[in-house]
Amino acid sequence: MKQRNQTFLLFFFLSAIFGFSQQKFTLSGSVSEASSNETLIGVTIAVPELKTGVVTNEYGFYSITLPEGDYRIQITYLGFKDVTQTITLNRNLKLNLQMVEAAEQLEEVIVTEDVERLDIRKPQMSVNTMSVETIKKIPVILGEADVIKSILLLPGVTNAGEGASGFNVRGGAVDQNLILLDEAIIFNSSHLFGFFSVFNPDAIKDIKLYKGGIPARYGGRVSSVLDIFQKEGNSKQLKINGGIGAVASRLLVEGPIVKDKAAFLVGGRGSYAHLFLPLFDQDNTAYFYDLNTKLNYNINDKNSIYLSGYFGRDVFGISDSFVNTYGNSVGNFRWNHLFSDKLFSNLSLIYSDYYYGLKLDFVGFNWNSGIQNFNVKYDLKHYINDKLQINYGINNIYYSFNPGEIEPSNPESGILEEQLIKKYANEFAAYIDIEHDITENLSLGYGLRFSNFIRLGQDELNIYENDNPVIFDPLLQLYQEADPIAISEPGRSGSLATFNNFEPRVSLAYTFNNNSSMKASYTRLAQYLHLLSNTNSPTPLDVWTPSGPFVEPQLLDQYALGFFKNLKEGAYSIETEVFYKDIQNRIDYIDGANLIANDAIETVILNGEARAYGLELLLRKNEGKFQGWLAYTLSKSEQRTPGRISNVNSGRSNLETGINFGEWYNTPYDKTHDISLFGSYDLNDKWSFNTNFVYQTGQPTNYPIGQFEFQGLAVPFYGLRNQERLPDYHRIDLSATMTPRKNKNRKVQGEWVFSIYNVYNRRNAASINFRRNQDTGINEAVRTSIFGVVPAVTYNFKF
């Protein structure tokens, strides 16, 4: 009897999970745009009768298993006309769906689903999705639509100010963000040192920013994931669109190779403001260009292949004596295969290269450096039933680091060719992610990622006394670089260090009703690469280094709790989250650290810790002529590096002061208050208006706290790290878009975008430096600002 009861309980449990209790069938297929066959990501396929549904994955595929019966299926997506279809599910059914853009309909269309709105029932939290349409509305510097500048308006996202590259998420550093373009790693996301991003908005299809609750398929960074997919190309007809701006222009062409089966996409951008510099007797250069490409071929119903690439370069020069060139090159070959109507797979072969170099004719040499990586990914998504989905896969990345190569620019320079020691590493990961609807009100997402990082052999490796590359002088109370006592030659074979980490992820959502829910998440992440930079904003010459014998991997534990609510049937929404982050092995630098061309970087860095915590609030208006959001973040970001424990007379004693005397201090990206307001108003079919307001607490910095006289000179001295702040940052931006009414009768359609950046000409401080006044001999503060008010005009076209 006992055995029969156990068998019954086991059968009941399996029935609850896998749906054995009654006959079920699978509805599956893909969703694409009718005018181009472009697959759509995040389309909702809902079954109202069962209060269930599914969304399309990154490749436009969906699958849902339901009991036998007749159903009314609702398909919704932002900017497209809703589709309602009745089906009879008495067998496995393949249903490929196509959606029509709302703008192409004669009648008024009310959009009932918004890709940017929160999903009440899903356990995924701390994620923001922005449509390309929204990004193109947001006023930015010089009038060019910009992905990175747009996400800075989201809660928990900031940067180091105007002209600063990269972005910071929830108090994290720039190098702690994983940036992916068609699954390829982007190491520098900025053009012209932060004025533009490397992402051409015309070529972008989908953008997601994960700030927490990061799925197990992602790894390698401890702060966030910015996942961007390019368009695949129009396989129906030839389309051309672009824009002409004040400082840059762009053009994108897409069309069929084989109609309805194969397509191409080519997009290019370039800046030309430097062409006008000779008119002002300037012999300097500052420009960028990039190229986006993609080919896709639908072999049959079960197989599709894609080949995508990106190439970008920045050139900055002062006459011909100094030229800085840097940029990304990536390529990805992807194969989608459908094993069954429930099992989808994707194989990717990815190459990524980041190059940064200098031409220094005034000293007679050139500098070349960079990072290359080769990545093999295999991901599978298994749709067990309408309550359970499993994602699993593996990926392997091989890294090659060139920290720097010096080569003479001419034979007479007297400079000897020198190669800094190249470094190599391999990062392997395997993961499983489960999405599980436990009850109608409770949903879980849980998974595990295993990561293995091997620091491979290299030509030379320094050996230090007591295995300590940084020594502390107790008399001077200073950390100093240790001299190596020997140099080993391990060679390329073998490994120098191996790290293994299990990275669990769990998130849950409890739904109170159709309009409100509570969510919570825990995330563990490991990061094995480190950006060596002692400036507030990264520069192209900053060096990446892998974990190894003297550098431990960063380890993150993040906890988040949130409340989410839709108001007035989704016309308004509220998102609130609190978070806490704890990071081990955060790199810190000794005073006076030299990072440029340093072949023994381990002698200037120490392993510390970091923490960040805060509250995020996002209020949205999602419908009507006026739409927008208000984002507010209250947060704290700190780090510390206490003195190391030393063995003295067989006892344990802490004689070192640590960095900042071992006390917590503000990170350079700590912003106590961060307020962002975005509004968009459609006056009529001809005019629309957009505005931003941004306010941030000034970023931490160091000011002199006193001075002393030395041989007649006033020498300032400084206190503890980052105790002072720059003045608070704020500005208002405006833009107006004019679309001629005669566009409807023209093959070529255009629009004019007029924008004003920093309307009230706020001179926000990029830095404050101190100098001695030549007349008075007194030290004085000098504020450096990058931009005041900046008007711009852009003309966009398509045909």
Side-chain angles (χ1 to χ4, degrees), residues 52 114 122 146 231 263 354 361 404 455 557 562 629 632 662 787:
T52 189
D114 189 332
K122 279 191 170 294
D146 193 284
K231 292 180 179 178
Y354 177 57
D361 277 353
R455 174 72 177 274
D557 293 288
W629 67 77
Y632 172 67
F787 289 115

Side-chain angles (χ1 to χ4, degrees), residues 625-626 680-689 737 741:
K625 285 182 172 291
F626 175 75
S680 176
Y681 180 70
D682 294 328
L683 179 64
N684 49 43
D685 60 353
K686 183 177 181 180
W687 286 98
S688 65
F689 301 91
T737 301
R741 289 193 171 101

Side-chain angles (χ1 to χ4, degrees), residues 733-778:
D733 310 323
L734 296 174
S735 73
T737 301
M738 191 272 285
T739 305
R741 289 193 171 101
K742 56 186 177 183
N743 265 0
K744 295 180 180 179
N745 302 317
R746 284 185 168 183
K747 184 176 180 180
V748 179
Q749 299 183 352
E751 65 178 19
W752 290 92
V753 181
F754 308 93
S755 65
I756 303 177
Y757 178 87
N758 195 0
V759 172
Y760 52 83
N761 198 29
R762 164 76 174 176
R763 307 299 294 185
N764 288 296
S767 64
I768 292 182
N769 299 308
F770 293 84
R771 69 185 183 190
R772 186 182 185 188
N773 188 293
Q774 296 298 320
D775 297 326
T776 65
I778 300 175

Side-chain angles (χ1 to χ4, degrees), residues 375-573:
N375 186 3
V376 179
K377 291 175 74 268
Y378 193 49
D379 303 290
L380 298 103
K381 190 175 185 72
H382 203 159
Y383 300 84
I384 304 298
N385 55 44
D386 63 320
K387 305 294 184 185
L388 186 66
Q389 300 175 21
I390 301 177
N391 301 281
Y392 46 94
I394 59 173
N395 74 296
N396 191 85
I397 308 175
Y398 172 80
Y399 296 99
S400 174
F401 301 84
N402 177 13
E405 176 189 10
I406 297 175
E407 59 180 15
S409 58
N410 59 75
E412 292 78 26
S413 66
I415 302 294
L416 299 178
E417 186 171 347
E418 182 180 356
Q419 171 69 62
L420 299 184
I421 298 172
K422 291 185 176 181
K423 301 178 177 67
Y424 307 90
N426 192 83
E427 183 175 354
F428 169 82
Y431 74 90
I432 183 169
D433 239 337
I434 300 173
E435 301 173 36
H436 194 176
D437 294 337
I438 305 296
T439 68
E440 185 176 327
N441 299 98
L442 180 63
S443 298
L444 286 179
Y446 48 95
L448 179 66
R449 181 182 182 89
F450 169 75
S451 59
N452 165 266
F453 187 85
I454 302 175
R455 174 72 177 274
L456 300 173
Q458 59 193 48
D459 293 336
E460 295 180 357
L461 181 69
N462 290 339
I463 298 175
Y464 301 92
E465 186 176 359
N466 298 323
D467 206 26
N468 185 9
V470 180
I471 58 177
F472 181 76
D473 189 326
L475 296 179
L476 298 176
Q477 295 286 286
L478 291 174
Y479 286 97
Q480 298 177 341
E481 304 174 32
D483 294 322
I485 58 175
I487 297 177
S488 66
E489 297 180 354
R492 292 290 309 280
S493 61
S495 63
L496 304 178
T498 300
F499 305 95
N500 296 299
N501 283 287
F502 288 96
E503 305 170 36
R505 323 282 171 86
V506 61
S507 58
L508 63 89
Y510 184 82
T511 306
F512 299 106
N513 50 52
N514 289 334
N515 291 311
S516 60
S517 66
M518 289 284 292
K519 299 185 182 184
S521 68
Y522 165 74
T523 307
R524 173 101 169 163
L525 287 159
Q527 177 171 335
Y528 300 100
L529 305 187
H530 313 265
L531 180 65
L532 302 177
S533 174
N534 52 8
T535 60
N536 289 340
S537 175
T539 69
L541 287 176
D542 292 336
V543 177
W544 289 80
T545 190
S547 298
F550 306 108
V551 183
E552 297 289 328
Q554 299 179 68
L555 300 175
L556 163 86
D557 293 288
Q558 180 175 195
Y559 310 85
L561 178 67
F563 175 74
F564 306 83
K565 188 174 182 62
N566 283 330
L567 302 172
K568 294 187 176 182
E569 298 182 352
Y572 300 84
S573 61

Side-chain angles (χ1 to χ4, degrees), residues 140-156:
V140 293
I141 185 69
L142 300 173
E144 294 297 315
D146 193 284
V147 172
I148 301 298
K149 296 294 188 297
S150 298
I151 66 173
L152 296 177
L153 299 178
L154 297 172

